[in-house]
Amino acid sequence: MVINHNIAALNTLSNLQKNTSAVQDSLQKLSTGSKINKAADDASGLAISQKMQAQINGLNQAQENVSNGNSLIQTSEGALGNVQDILQKMRTLAVQAQNDTQNDTDKSNLQDQANALAQEINRISDQTTYNTKNVFGQTDSEGLFSNSGLQIQIGADSGQTINLTLGGTVVTTSTLVSASAATSATGSTTLSGDAADGYQYFVSTSSGTDTYAVTLNTASDGSIYATFKDSDGNQVMSTAVTTAFTAAVSATTANGTTTYSIANSALFTAGNITATTINYDLTGVQGGTAGTAVSATAVTLVGSQTTTGGTNIAATDTTDGTAGADPATATVTINGVAYTASLYSDSSATTVMQTASAGNVYFTLTDADGNVVKDSSGSKLVFTGTADASKKLSATGLNVGGKTASVTLGTATYTANIAGSGTNTTFTLTDVNGQVVKDTNGETATFTGSVTGGQLTTNSTTGKINVTESTSYLDAVSVSALGVGTGVGEAATALSLTGSNAINTIQTAIDTVSKLRSKMGAYQNRFTYAGDTLDIESQNLTAAQSTLTDTDVAQEMMNYTKNNILVQSAQAMLAQANQLPQGMLSLLKS
């Protein structure tokens, strides 16, 4: 027994302190509801829970971002709905103005209405805002029509965005490319080309208010004359004026090239076209030296085995083929066009039939230019027919379509739709978007060439083709961007309601706005799904974080009760331990 150190009391005190600390921890966890109140509670759990909390906070904010983005789209789509309503009214006015029961005053009044509607379209384009931001990008480089569009952060991490943009709405037209840049001139301006190629020259007055299409033509006596048409396709010069104008066109031939010159003075005085400076823009319709020659392009003659609407061939004599090599053939006529049928004994047209025999036969068709009829995928088409006892071929319901060829001009690919055969071939061009190539008057451009040996070609000297693919991106929903007027703001004027293309132009604008609204609807649907996904992610992450950080009250109350009892027991034992040194007093007294 010792006096200076009460080891029993020290041990009891240590246990009392531990139990008291455990009770305090339990009280903190129960009072805060969190089992991680300091890093010491769970160091790794704290790091994980903080990363989860950052994700949860980001997801919750992203949900608000999506909601705001959806509201912006709803605002914009509502504005476009009004623009479309206005365009519908403008189209109705155009239909009314095209009716000649309206006198000039009536048509002027209708035009005034259209001008006012054009100004309202511009106002909507200029002044539709969301949170002070011009959503259509007229005055804001980050609007829906800007290159970058509007970025919506739809996730908790960097790069999780949606770009809202309407600038990708493409209005595509295929037109003939200008073969030379426009030049300003006074006195006499030289126009290069051959009148027989049908060159057209765009002539604009210096003020830019009047534009005429000038076509050089060759008269029966060999002289060159020019005709002038306005933007609506109306010839603006009478025969007398055109005849008088002939003298102003001079031709000079040097090194095999003929150059035509028009004196400006004659142009300005004729037909009441007055100006001091005029611009000439040479545009090749077909022919010229600035284009691309179509050469050695394979022709596909598209057919079908569908019987609906097809032509029956009956009792067509066959000619025996060379034994062991060539198939028997027959000449058949479908819709007035003669084809050579080559006979085979199998549906894949691999085994030739030298002599037709009674029963089922298979055959391919080849036209006079050597083009084999193929299906829409470019595979050789095998038709089914029968031969009678006289070796005559017959078949029902044969359909053969038009001849096409894939033509590459520069880097663009076009489909040539071919008419005629041999050297009397003409064709039109369709781009990859299904747009037919138009001439400078907006009419379908027709080119000349020849088909020999199953290949389409154009003359290498005068048959060169100038075509450009014009792809424009809408940069606003103003009348100028939609093509239904000119001018900005309150200075806007609508296109002429009496113009020959007014109705079609406004309809194109209506269709364009429909595409924009459709795209906005797609964005709204996407935002709906994005919001749902964010909500699910947030819920799941919150549940995962809860298992790390939330106090299990039942378990913690059990710990608290245990530790509380231990504290009380330690207190009692500490009192007993403190009494142990008292026993030594009896020893000292004795």
Side-chain angles (χ1 to χ4, degrees), residues 176-184 189-193 199-202 279-285 287-291 440 466-468:
L176 298 170
V177 67
S178 173
S180 63
T183 57
S184 297
T189 297
T190 299
L191 308 177
S192 298
Y199 272 111
Q200 287 190 332
Y201 305 83
F202 281 104
N279 294 332
Y280 294 93
D281 188 4
L282 173 62
T283 304
V285 175
T289 58
T440 51
N466 299 314
V467 176
T468 185

Side-chain angles (χ1 to χ4, degrees), residues 133-134 136-150:
K133 180 182 289 291
N134 187 314
F136 292 133
Q138 286 287 86
T139 58
D140 191 333
S141 60
E142 297 181 354
L144 290 173
F145 287 105
S146 65
N147 292 332
S148 59
L150 295 175

Side-chain angles (χ1 to χ4, degrees), residues 426-437:
T426 61
F427 60 94
T428 59
L429 294 176
T430 304
D431 68 13
V432 293
N433 297 306
Q435 299 289 327
V436 177
V437 174

Side-chain angles (χ1 to χ4, degrees), residues 437-476:
V437 174
K438 303 292 183 65
D439 62 20
T440 51
N441 288 324
E443 303 296 333
T444 299
T446 301
F447 306 93
T448 59
S450 62
V451 175
T452 56
Q455 291 185 325
L456 169 68
T457 59
T458 56
N459 186 287
S460 60
T461 302
T462 61
K464 293 186 177 180
I465 301 171
N466 299 314
V467 176
T468 185
E469 191 76 2
S470 174
T471 303
S472 60
Y473 292 83
L474 284 177
D475 58 2

